[in-house]
């Protein structure tokens, strides 16, 4: 067992973990932050995306011990304390960018990371950026639309609803 | 002006907030005090005889609580099949046993041999690897046609062969169909494969079993589309637990697409083991495990023939299909290639004579069952491909050929046992023409050609039967359950309502759309209505969500229960206003007496029902709670026309979807936003089937596409923005909402459009390509172009 | 995963020392190794993370050579290897953004997956693989699928890429994994053209010498008109036959030459 300490969603968090404990496991099982989901075991689906030191990372493909000392942000940190959704979350709700909700935490965390680097991405840039986030419900239409809307672009010309 | 509430409005989904903030409650988020974890040791061979299992060393490993093998399940029931098909000779299908853990034999890669329960998931897996299995490998039965040859190795020794059933539909029509073919002016023949798919909801399956010693009650938390069905199947047929001692809870479910309908061995195991070790037992499937344990979909091999007369009227249709059942019969497996497929072979056309033959075959592969559309995509695909091929052979416009043969008068009784109540296939084709800008295609093709790309246009229609299903009819067809739906509407004393329904959302947004219906009926705000679902302990017996049935059947049950509520409330209101019940009107959340200014608010009537001081106690009971079970009189028949434009890179064979348009008739629409979302998702899955996805076994029964490394899921850059329209409305005639269902349409209607478009593109370049089997991977398209 | 001991040294020397233990293995970004370990296909007793070694990170250009620290992520290369645009572009298309934030060039080259992108760039550029003990020419480094000249415990500390006059990488995606079904890196230097192909061959990344000869005569796609690689050694699987991959090698090479200009 190794002791790890990190900042998670602005709060100090620590625990004893095995070498093989993944960050996703640490978040879900040790800290009870079950918003981060695990949808595959080959590092492709992206349901587990969190931010580590500001970068989007697949939390199922980084050891908890590797994140020792890091600043980690999960989906649970994205809304304001009073429950107000952030711009990406709000756009996902406004434009029906989610159905079952399982891929949603990773989608939102990826979208937030994208908009930090590229404040006004094109449709093609958004689709390319989401290569590592799989959604089975929405056909991506409303996800792409929501991200464009969250970046302040006019999406009224994109097919209805 | 779009409505802002009630039926026809698109309010934001209330469930979204919890999903967007990470506080959804999925089954894997449930952790019970003292829970242990199970790891299944699964077969790595497709077919084998187990000569012995030695778990001595494994049992001594750290954290191991108990190891279970098939021997622990002797006397426990077989996982049941919910549908019995009768073959063309009037005999019941062959139905093998399906044990929770292997009994002496394994029959597919992934078949569970033993189960290790330990204190942590990793300890369970560590110990599972230490179990020694003396396995004698047997020849694997993979190819369906080979499987039914004389002398083929049998998947089940106690069956006469690998043929589950040989089904003829309608058997009495066969002679007339054959005669029509011999008199045909033209016959178009097509042999095709409907590729095996893996549903792949993003949430893998999870089961948590619990047993309460104090009252002897078992609880199963599971990723299910239909908790009551699981309780019935597992309780009555597998574990022998009466319903009142068994609770099944499906909390938030992360997608299903059919594969979470079925009762699985892991659910029974966790429930059984929790009692056996007196601790909660949890199983969380990995994605890799899902590929070899979730029921797969599709996997048909079909020969279809279409006969036409000299005027290009369809005169007869004949098909022969081999349908893969896999190694065992999953819950609804036998119904998919038969009653969900054969009955749809008329499609949108007035073909007078149809004969469908289906041979269902056991193989050493994962069981195959319903996946989004279930039988109807297979029917639509073959029909719309053969019609397209016929148009090309005859040199006529594919859309004109379709229009010429459309059914235009309703109700219409098909020669394959169903009666379409309404539809307007020309209207959806007209709408498609408009939204897909069909007239602009030639210019777009010219532009693509300038860029060195081949552009193709594919159009098709579809009809589906959903809103599953009339119980008396499906009972005749072999269903072992009724397919009604239930709702209890409980009005609280201050006027808020709770609807407890047997329908269960796994992404469809019932918590938002169902209240819209009640809000419309009563004239109150949607926020006054709460939906409770997914827990057998607090919902009436209901059959769950699949077959695009929730609103058409579950919503109808809710309407019926709400009507009962309103009728009773009207009596109370009449009493309160000392008026005749016949004069009471309900509008905007208040009862009024016609022709007067007397009125009483909804909330006051509800309060009177629970505080019955001034109340007609001699006529009606206090309280305001009603239950209704709704059993539909017929299926519903959504229909539509779809169009896909592709570009093909002639150098690589890569197909790019340039545009996709869908014009659907879903009858009345409750929430247009949710309906569009359902169609988007269905189209992406259809494009996935057409271009990307395929579960492929090698000849030894190893699944080659066993992870996302080899099973290509559609990504954001594989698809375009879609153009969807559902303004063509012919309301369903037999349910109170006039709704038809929209969940499966996209997946049913889209694959043929894609394939038709690719064939069109290749033919435009002078390639003699009439068909390519799905998925149309670059490699396959290139090979077809250069064949 | 099987359990293991995790250590995270801050210097190369400490890392080398930690790797001296039997069954110890270096961990780069973990984007391939961790999924492999999840499938229990690897069972190191100790994982030595290289992510804490500051000396192994960074991109610098000097005297016509771009040097990339072995622990540099794909994302950093994409952003900072502007001196070698084709290489930066290649890095910007490896995996997905989250993978690029963790995966490293050293990890990729040490693993030498037959479908990875970086091996084609290193081989086509005639790069030098710098380890804690020596420098290895790319031509000597790649020795077949998942096989390299690295010794047990040897760490890639940096990779030196001579910057070409023109270069381009064309990747044709395997639709599921999004690795290269075929990827071709073409680099034109004063002393000749080098063409390296990944994804296609059962023997891993390889140089297509016939194409190099033809392009040395004339650096135009038409120069490749009559050339074909033999299908025999190509990978054939459910994503593409041997013949298809052999065909794609030609198509991607022509496209790379066109794009390189």
């Amino acid at each position: 067992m190794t002791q790890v300490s990190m900042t998670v969603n602005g709060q100090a968090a620590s625990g004893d973990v095995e070498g093989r404990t993944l960050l996703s496991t640490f978040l879900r099982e040790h800290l009870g932050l079950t918003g981060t989901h695990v949808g595959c075991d080959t590092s492709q689906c992206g349901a587990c995306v969190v931010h580590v030191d500001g970068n989007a990372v697949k939390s199922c493909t980084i050891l908890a011990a590797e994140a020792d000392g890091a600043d980690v942000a999960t989906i649970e940190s994205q809304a304001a304390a009073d429950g107000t959704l952030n711009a990406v979350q709000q756009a996902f709700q406004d434009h029906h960018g989610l159905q079952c909700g399982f891929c949603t935490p990773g989608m939102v965390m990826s979208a937030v990371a994208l908009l930090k680097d590229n404040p006004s991405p094109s449709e093609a840039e958004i689709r390319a950026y989401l290569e590592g986030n799989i959604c089975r419900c929405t056909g991506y239409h409303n996800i792409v639309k929501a991200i464009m809307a969250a970046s302040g672009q006019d999406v009224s010309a994109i097919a209805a609803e | 002006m779009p409505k802002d509430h009630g039926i026809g409005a698109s309010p934001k989904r209330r469930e979204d907030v919890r999903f967007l903030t990470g506080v959804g409650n999925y089954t894997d988020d449930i952790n019970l005090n003292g829970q242990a974890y199970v790891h299944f040791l699964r077969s790595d061979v497709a077919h084998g005889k187990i000569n012995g299992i030695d778990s001595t060393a494994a049992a001594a490993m750290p954290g191991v609580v108990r190891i279970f093998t098939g021997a622990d399940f002797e006397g426990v029931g077989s996982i049941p099949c919910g549908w019995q098909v009768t073959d063309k000779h009037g005999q019941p299908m062959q139905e093998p046993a399906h044990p929770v853990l292997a009994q002496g034999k394994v029959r597919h890669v992934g078949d569970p041999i033993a189960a290790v329960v330990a204190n942590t998931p990793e300890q369970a897996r560590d110990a599972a690897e230490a179990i020694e299995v003396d396995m004698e490998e047997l020849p694997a039965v993979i190819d369906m046609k080979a499987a039914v040859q004389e002398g083929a190795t049998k998947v089940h020794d106690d069956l006469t062969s690998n043929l589950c059933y040989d089904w003829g539909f309608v058997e009495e029509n066969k002679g007339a169909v054959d005669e029509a073919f011999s008199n045909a002016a033209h016959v178009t023949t097509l042999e095709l494969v409907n590729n095996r798919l893996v549903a792949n909801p993003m949430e893998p399956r999870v089961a948590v079993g619990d047993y309460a010693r104090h009252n002897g009650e078992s609880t199963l938390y599971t990723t299910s589309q239909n908790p009551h069905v699981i309780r019935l199947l597992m309780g009555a047929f597998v574990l022998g637990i009466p319903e009142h001692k068994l609770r099944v809870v499906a909390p938030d479910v992360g997608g299903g697409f059919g594969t979470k309908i079925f009762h699985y061995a892991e659910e029974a195991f966790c429930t059984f083991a929790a009692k056996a070790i007196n601790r909660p037992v949890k199983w969380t499937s990995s994605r890799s495990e899902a590929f070899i344990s979730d029921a797969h979909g599709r996997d048909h091999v079909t020969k279809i023939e279409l006969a036409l007369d000299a005027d290009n009227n369809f005169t007869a249709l004949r098909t022969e299909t081999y349908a893969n059942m896999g190694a065992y019969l999953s819950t609804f497996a036998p119904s998919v290639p038969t009653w969900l497929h054969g009955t749809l072979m008329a499609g949108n056309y007035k073909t007078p004579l149809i004969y469908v033959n289906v041979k269902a075959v056991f193989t050493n592969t994962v069981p195959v069952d319903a996946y989004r559309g279930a039988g109807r995509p297979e029917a639509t695909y073959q029909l719309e491909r053969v019609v397209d091929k016929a148009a090309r052979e005859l040199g006529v416009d594919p859309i004109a050929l379709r229009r010429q043969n459309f059914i235009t008068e309703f109700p219409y009784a098909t020669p394959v046992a169903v009666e379409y109540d309404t539809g307007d296939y020309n209207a959806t084709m007209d709408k498609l023409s408009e939204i897909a800008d069909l007239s602009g295609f030639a210019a777009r093709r010219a532009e693509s050609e300038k860029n060195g790309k081949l552009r193709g246009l594919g159009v098709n229609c579809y009809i589906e039967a959903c809103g599953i299903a009339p119980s008396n009819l499906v009972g005749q067809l072999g269903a072992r359950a009724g397919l009604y739906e239930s709702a209890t509407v409980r009005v609280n004393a201050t006027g808020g309502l709770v609807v407890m329904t047997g329908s269960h959302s796994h992404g469809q947004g019932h918590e938002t759309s169902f209240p819209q219906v009640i809000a419309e009926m009563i004239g109150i705000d949607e926020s006054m209505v709460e939906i409770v679902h997914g827990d057998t302990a607090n919902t009436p017996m209901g059959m769950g969500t699949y077959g695009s049935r929730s609103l058409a059947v579950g919503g109808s049950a809710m309407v019926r229960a709400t009507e009962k509520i309103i009728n009773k409330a009207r009596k109370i209101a009449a009493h309160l206003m000392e008026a005749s019940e016949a004069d009471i009107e309900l509008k905007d959340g208040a009862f009024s007496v016609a022709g007067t200014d007397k009125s009483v608010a909804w909330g006051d009537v509800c309060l009177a029902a629970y505080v019955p001081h001034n109340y007609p106690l001699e006529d009606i009971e206090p309280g305001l709670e009603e239950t209704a079970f709704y059993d539909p009189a017929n299926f519903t028949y959504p229909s539509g026309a779809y169009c896909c434009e592709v570009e093909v890179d002639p150098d690589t064979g890569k197909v790019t979807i340039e545009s996709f348009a869908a014009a659907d008739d879903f009858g009345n629409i409750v929430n247009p936003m949710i309906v569009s979302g359902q169609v988007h998702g269905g189209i992406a899955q259809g494009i996935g089937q057409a271009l990307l996805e395929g579960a492929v076994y090698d000849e030894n029964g190893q699944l080659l596409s066993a992870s996302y490394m080899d099973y290509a899921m559609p990504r954001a850059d594989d698809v375009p923005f879609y153009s969807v329209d559902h303004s063509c409305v012919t309301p369903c005639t037999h349910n109170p909402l006039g709704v038809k269902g929209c969940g499966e349409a996209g997946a049913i209607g889209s694959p043929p459009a894609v394939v038709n478009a690719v064939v069109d593109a290749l033919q435009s370049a002078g390639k003699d390509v009439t068909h390519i089997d799905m998925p149309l991977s670059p490699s396959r398209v290139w090979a077809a172009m250069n064949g | 995963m099987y359990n293991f001991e995790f250590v995270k040294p801050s210097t190369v020397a400490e890392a080398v020392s930690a790797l001296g233990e039997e069954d110890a293995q270096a961990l780069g970004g973990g984007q391939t190794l961790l999924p492999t370990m999840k499938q229990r296909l690897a069972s190191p007793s100790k994982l030595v993370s290289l992510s804490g070694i500051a000396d192994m990170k960074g991109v610098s250009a000097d005297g016509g050579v771009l040097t990339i620290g072995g622990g540099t992520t794909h994302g950093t290369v994409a952003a900072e290897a502007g001196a070698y645009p084709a290489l930066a572009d290649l890095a910007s298309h490896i995996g997905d953004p989250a993978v690029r934030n963790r995966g490293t060039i050293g990890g990729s080259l040490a693993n030498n997956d037959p479908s990875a992108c970086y091996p084609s760039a290193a081989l086509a550029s005639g790069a030098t693989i710098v380890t804690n003990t020596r420098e290895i020419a790319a031509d000597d480094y790649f020795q077949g699928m998942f096989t390299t000249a690295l010794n047990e415990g040897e760490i890639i500390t940096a990779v030196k890429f001579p910057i070409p006059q023109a270069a381009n990488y064309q990747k044709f995606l395997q639709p599921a994994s999004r690795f290269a079904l075929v990827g071709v890196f073409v680099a034109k230097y004063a002393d000749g053209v080098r063409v390296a192909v990944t994804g296609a061959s059962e023997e891993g990344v390889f140089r297509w010498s016939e194409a190099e000869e033809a392009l040395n005569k004339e650096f135009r796609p038409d120069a490749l008109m009559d050339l074909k690689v033999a299908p025999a050694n190509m990978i054939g699987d459910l994503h593409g036959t041997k013949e298809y991959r052999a065909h794609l090698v030609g198509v991607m090479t022509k496209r790379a030459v066109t794009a390189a200009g």
Side-chain angles (χ1 to χ4, degrees):
Chain A
M1 289 289 191
T2 326
Q3 161 104 36
V4 294
S5 300
M6 60 190 87
T7 303
V8 178
N9 299 338
Q11 309 225 315
S14 61
D16 289 324
V17 299
E18 291 186 315
R20 61 182 166 182
T21 303
L22 298 166
L23 179 59
S24 54
T25 308
F26 183 67
L27 293 170
R28 287 182 56 82
E29 309 294 334
H30 294 243
L31 303 183
L33 293 170
T34 55
T36 297
H37 296 156
V38 177
C40 79
D41 46 11
T42 51
S43 202
Q44 276 151 323
C45 82
C48 67
V49 168
V50 301
H51 296 172
V52 174
D53 294 329
N55 294 317
V57 161
K58 290 181 168 170
S59 65
C60 80
T61 316
I62 174 173
L63 299 171
E66 276 280 32
D68 187 38
D71 185 6
V72 176
T74 71
I75 187 67
E76 284 91 346
S77 71
Q78 297 298 296
D82 69 355
T84 305
L85 302 180
N86 75 15
V88 171
Q89 291 170 312
Q90 188 59 57
F92 269 63
Q93 188 187 26
D94 292 347
H95 297 280
H96 191 28
L98 66 153
Q99 291 181 23
C100 82
F102 194 81
C103 77
T104 306
M107 281 288 175
V108 168
M109 296 309 284
S110 282
V112 168
L114 166 64
L115 296 185
K116 188 168 65 110
D117 292 343
N118 184 351
S120 189
S122 67
E123 179 198 343
E125 286 172 335
I126 293 168
R127 291 186 186 278
Y129 194 88
L130 295 180
E131 180 167 2
N133 290 85
I134 301 176
C135 170
R136 192 58 152 168
C137 292
T138 65
Y140 303 101
H141 182 109
N142 286 334
I143 290 175
V144 177
K145 188 174 170 183
I147 295 171
M148 293 176 81
S151 73
Q153 300 180 65
D154 180 5
V155 295
S156 56
I158 298 166
E161 273 132 9
Chain B
M1 187 65 189
K3 290 179 68 176
D4 61 2
H5 72 282
I7 292 174
S10 293
K12 292 173 191 174
R13 294 202 327 168
R14 56 175 73 171
E15 44 275 85
D16 287 358
V17 176
R18 68 176 185 271
F19 295 149
L20 283 162
T21 53
V23 295
N25 183 37
Y26 298 89
T27 309
D28 195 38
D29 301 340
I30 293 170
N31 292 298
L32 302 179
N33 275 339
Q35 77 188 5
Y37 298 82
V38 60
H39 183 86
F40 291 96
L41 175 66
R42 296 180 183 277
S43 177
D44 56 6
V45 300
H47 197 187
K49 182 164 174 286
I50 301 169
N51 289 325
I53 301 173
D54 182 355
S55 51
T56 319
M61 288 182 62
V64 173
V65 178
R66 189 167 156 190
I67 296 176
F68 295 80
T69 65
D72 295 291
F73 284 81
E74 279 171 19
V76 170
S78 170
I79 295 166
C81 177
W83 202 294
Q84 184 183 64
V85 166
T86 302
D87 76 5
K88 66 184 185 186
H89 307 297
Q91 297 301 308
M93 67 188 188
Q94 296 208 77
E95 192 170 356
H98 184 180
V100 174
L101 295 176
Q103 300 284 341
K105 247 185 119 176
V106 291
R107 296 185 178 85
H108 66 86
V109 170
D111 212 358
I113 298 168
V116 179
V117 179
N119 291 329
T120 73
E122 296 286 8
Q123 286 171 337
R125 186 165 177 183
D126 289 342
E129 290 185 3
I131 296 175
E132 291 184 27
V133 181
D134 178 3
M135 180 80 73
E136 178 185 338
E137 196 169 348
L138 301 170
V141 180
I142 303 301
D143 180 77
M144 283 192 278
K145 290 182 181 175
V148 294
Q149 296 296 312
E150 194 70 35
T153 301
K154 286 196 288 185
V155 176
H156 295 276
D157 300 325
D158 52 340
L159 303 186
T160 60
S161 72
N162 293 319
L163 187 65
C164 177
Y165 54 75
D166 185 352
W167 186 73
F169 185 64
V170 175
E171 196 60 29
E172 295 73 43
N173 292 350
K174 187 170 188 301
V177 169
D178 290 345
E179 191 182 332
F181 270 90
S182 58
N183 296 329
H186 184 86
V187 174
T188 296
T189 303
L190 185 58
E191 294 188 40
L192 49 79
V193 173
N194 203 288
N195 40 327
R196 180 186 272 247
L197 303 177
V198 183
N200 272 307
M202 293 319 298
E203 177 202 32
R205 288 190 297 119
V206 180
V208 188
D210 190 21
Y211 179 72
R213 272 197 301 179
H214 70 275
N215 62 5
E217 185 177 304
S218 292
T219 302
L220 170 69
Y221 301 88
T222 184
T223 46
S224 176
Q225 301 174 214
N226 32 243
H228 278 285
V229 174
I230 303 305
R231 185 177 70 165
L232 179 64
L233 294 177
M234 184 175 80
F237 296 96
V238 186
L239 299 180
I241 306 173
E243 282 102 319
H244 60 281
K245 290 293 184 189
L246 178 59
R247 176 183 173 201
V248 176
V249 185
D252 287 328
V253 178
F257 315 113
T259 205
K260 290 177 183 167
I261 297 171
F262 322 123
H263 174 42
Y264 286 97
E266 296 86 357
E267 295 172 320
F269 178 84
C270 289
T271 309
F272 178 90
K275 185 176 180 184
I277 68 163
N278 198 26
R279 279 173 71 176
V281 174
K282 181 173 188 173
W283 172 69
T284 301
S285 174
S286 68
R287 182 60 59 186
S288 298
E289 203 172 7
F291 271 96
I292 55 171
S293 67
D294 289 6
H296 293 182
R298 316 280 195 261
D299 205 353
H300 288 191
V301 175
T302 293
K303 178 182 179 187
I304 181 168
E305 297 165 286
L306 175 66
L308 302 93
D309 67 16
D311 298 323
N312 297 340
N313 296 310
F314 302 165
T315 57
L317 187 76
R318 186 165 60 191
T319 74
E320 182 186 25
T321 289
Y322 289 80
N324 208 334
M325 295 286 102
Y328 304 100
L329 290 177
S330 177
T331 309
F332 284 133
S335 69
V336 174
T338 51
W339 301 106
L340 294 173
H341 162 255
T343 52
L344 271 297
M345 284 314 305
N348 308 61
Y349 310 110
K350 52 194 178 196
T351 316
L353 288 163
I354 297 174
Y355 178 73
V356 177
N357 173 248
V358 177
K359 296 174 180 70
V361 182
F362 293 111
T363 60
N364 291 119
T365 63
V366 172
V368 180
D369 204 332
Y371 165 58
R372 201 173 196 169
R376 290 149 290 167
E378 296 90 322
T380 303
Y381 179 65
Q382 50 183 291
L383 183 59
E384 292 298 318
R385 284 289 300 124
V386 82
V387 169
D388 220 66
K389 186 166 183 252
R392 292 179 184 284
E393 287 173 356
L394 295 164
V396 299
D397 174 50
I399 294 176
L401 182 64
R402 287 179 169 87
R403 285 186 187 269
Q404 176 185 339
N405 285 282
F406 274 164
I407 296 159
T408 53
E409 289 176 16
F410 297 87
Y412 177 81
T414 73
V416 276
V418 291
E419 182 174 286
Y420 303 162
D421 58 344
T422 56
D424 185 345
Y425 308 146
N426 277 305
T428 46
M429 186 61 85
D430 291 344
K431 177 55 74 176
L432 180 76
S433 223
E434 176 195 326
I435 63 172
D437 182 25
L438 293 183
S439 58
F441 175 70
R444 294 191 293 275
R445 170 173 276 175
E447 191 61 30
S448 294
E449 282 170 0
K450 260 193 240 167
N451 298 322
K453 300 283 167 53
L454 311 177
R455 197 176 188 102
L457 174 77
V459 169
N460 66 269
C461 307
Y462 79 89
I463 172 93
E464 61 157 318
C466 64
I468 291 170
S471 293
N472 56 358
L473 176 60
V474 296
Q476 291 167 30
L477 304 182
R480 287 163 166 163
L483 288 170
Y484 51 82
E485 195 48 87
S486 64
T488 295
V489 176
R490 175 179 298 160
V491 184
N492 293 319
T494 56
L497 295 90
V498 180
V499 180
M500 289 149 277
T501 170
S503 297
H504 186 28
S505 178
H506 43 286
Q508 296 89 340
H510 296 175
E511 291 167 52
T512 301
S513 57
F514 279 28
Q516 290 179 248
V517 174
I518 291 190
E520 178 88 21
M521 291 177 74
I522 302 178
I524 54 174
D525 195 81
E526 282 130 13
S527 64
M528 291 175 68
V529 185
E530 198 68 29
I531 302 298
V532 171
H533 53 184
D535 185 344
T536 59
N538 56 22
T539 57
M541 171 73 179
M543 299 309 290
T545 291
Y546 43 82
S548 306
R549 70 192 300 272
S550 288
L551 192 59
V553 188
S556 295
M558 180 179 70
V559 168
R560 291 279 188 255
T562 306
E563 285 169 353
K564 292 185 193 180
I565 292 281
I566 292 171
N567 287 339
K568 184 171 178 182
R570 192 189 308 275
K571 287 188 172 65
I572 301 167
H575 178 87
L576 293 175
M577 294 187 283
E578 297 176 333
S580 161
E581 193 190 325
D583 294 335
I584 303 295
E585 293 172 348
L586 170 61
K587 192 169 177 244
D588 295 336
F591 290 97
S592 58
V593 182
T596 74
D597 59 358
K598 277 205 262 183
S599 87
V600 57
W602 168 256
D604 291 330
V605 173
C606 300
L607 190 64
Y610 289 96
V611 187
H613 298 161
N614 173 20
Y615 193 86
L617 285 166
E618 61 283 4
D619 296 328
I620 50 175
E621 296 170 3
L624 206 45
E625 175 169 327
E626 298 288 349
T627 294
F629 283 71
Y630 177 82
D631 203 285
N634 191 354
F635 292 92
T636 62
Y637 300 94
S639 61
Y642 283 23
C643 173
C644 178
E645 280 186 37
V646 300
E647 273 190 355
V648 179
D649 180 341
D651 295 334
T652 64
K654 181 166 170 58
V655 176
T656 310
I657 307 282
E658 295 298 311
S659 67
F660 202 104
D664 293 291
D665 174 359
F666 294 133
N668 294 331
I669 303 285
V670 169
N671 185 315
M673 175 188 84
I674 287 175
V675 169
S676 294
Q678 290 293 307
V679 177
H680 295 158
I683 291 171
Q685 289 184 3
I687 290 172
Q689 170 164 32
L691 294 185
L692 298 164
E693 301 177 39
V696 180
Y697 281 93
D698 73 9
E699 70 274 16
N700 298 317
Q702 295 295 329
L703 184 61
L704 299 177
S705 47
S707 78
Y708 291 155
M709 294 297 281
D710 287 300
Y711 188 93
M713 293 285 282
R715 319 272 178 121
D717 61 359
D718 288 316
V719 292
F721 282 128
Y722 319 101
S723 178
V724 304
D725 180 280
H726 28 79
S727 64
C728 297
V729 173
T730 61
C732 171
T733 58
H734 56 80
N735 66 43
L737 289 165
V739 297
K740 294 184 176 177
C742 66
E744 296 162 293
I748 292 169
S750 53
V754 177
V755 179
N756 289 348
V758 173
V759 170
D760 182 57
L762 300 188
Q763 292 199 358
S764 77
K767 302 285 181 189
D768 181 24
V769 176
T770 57
H771 180 70
I772 306 173
D773 274 326
M774 302 186 290
L776 272 60
S777 63
S779 179
R780 283 187 178 178
V781 173
W782 179 79
M785 291 175 75
N786 294 281
Chain C
M1 274 190 247
Y2 298 107
N3 206 7
F4 51 83
E5 185 192 345
F6 175 84
V7 293
K8 192 171 176 178
S10 54
T11 67
V12 173
E14 286 168 16
V16 169
S17 160
L19 284 167
E21 190 175 301
E22 195 175 351
D23 293 332
Q25 185 164 352
L27 174 69
Q31 302 304 285
T32 302
L33 182 57
L34 293 178
T36 306
M37 290 175 63
K38 282 188 209 176
Q39 302 297 325
R40 299 197 165 205
L41 298 174
S43 52
S45 59
K46 178 189 269 189
L47 273 193
V48 181
S49 170
L50 305 179
S51 68
I53 304 173
D55 287 352
M56 279 176 53
K57 294 182 184 178
V59 181
S60 63
D62 185 28
V65 174
L66 184 83
T67 302
I68 301 174
T72 310
T73 63
H74 313 323
T76 300
V77 175
E80 296 179 10
Y84 191 166
L87 188 66
D89 187 60
L90 173 147
S92 76
H93 290 95
I94 298 173
D96 59 60
V99 166
R100 292 196 286 274
N101 283 333
R102 293 289 310 162
T104 65
I105 187 169
S108 174
L109 291 175
N111 188 46
N112 192 22
D113 187 296
S115 301
C117 297
Y118 266 132
S120 68
L123 190 57
S125 305
T128 301
I129 317 296
V130 183
T131 77
N132 54 306
T133 57
R134 58 184 171 148
E135 297 201 345
I136 311 169
D139 283 321
D140 301 325
Y141 176 82
F142 298 104
Q143 301 186 348
M145 273 193 188
F146 300 109
T147 310
T148 70
L150 290 178
N151 295 320
E152 289 276 309
E154 194 172 3
I155 297 170
I156 298 176
T157 54
V159 188
K160 294 197 264 188
F161 290 88
I163 298 171
Q165 297 167 339
N168 186 259
Y169 178 62
Q170 292 285 322
K171 173 161 66 168
F172 193 86
L173 295 178
Q174 194 261 51
S177 69
R178 300 293 187 111
F179 277 69
L181 189 72
V182 168
V184 178
F185 200 105
V186 173
K188 182 170 183 279
Y189 291 90
D191 60 352
V193 177
R194 293 170 66 103
V195 177
V197 180
T198 188
S201 169
E202 288 179 340
E203 285 154 25
V205 66
F206 70 97
R207 280 177 70 183
W208 188 13
S209 48
E210 292 89 344
E212 292 179 356
E213 281 166 32
L215 291 168
N216 276 330
K217 289 179 193 142
E218 192 184 15
F219 193 72
R220 295 199 316 132
D222 288 354
L224 301 165
M225 214 58 141
D226 301 322
L227 291 185
K228 281 201 170 67
V229 293
N233 291 335
M234 296 289 109
I235 298 168
D237 61 16
L238 72 162
H239 305 293
T241 58
K242 289 168 179 283
E243 291 72 22
Y244 182 62
R245 279 192 173 77
H247 167 75
L248 278 184
V249 171
V251 175
M252 292 299 119
T253 307
K254 281 179 209 143
R255 288 184 179 179
V257 171
T258 304

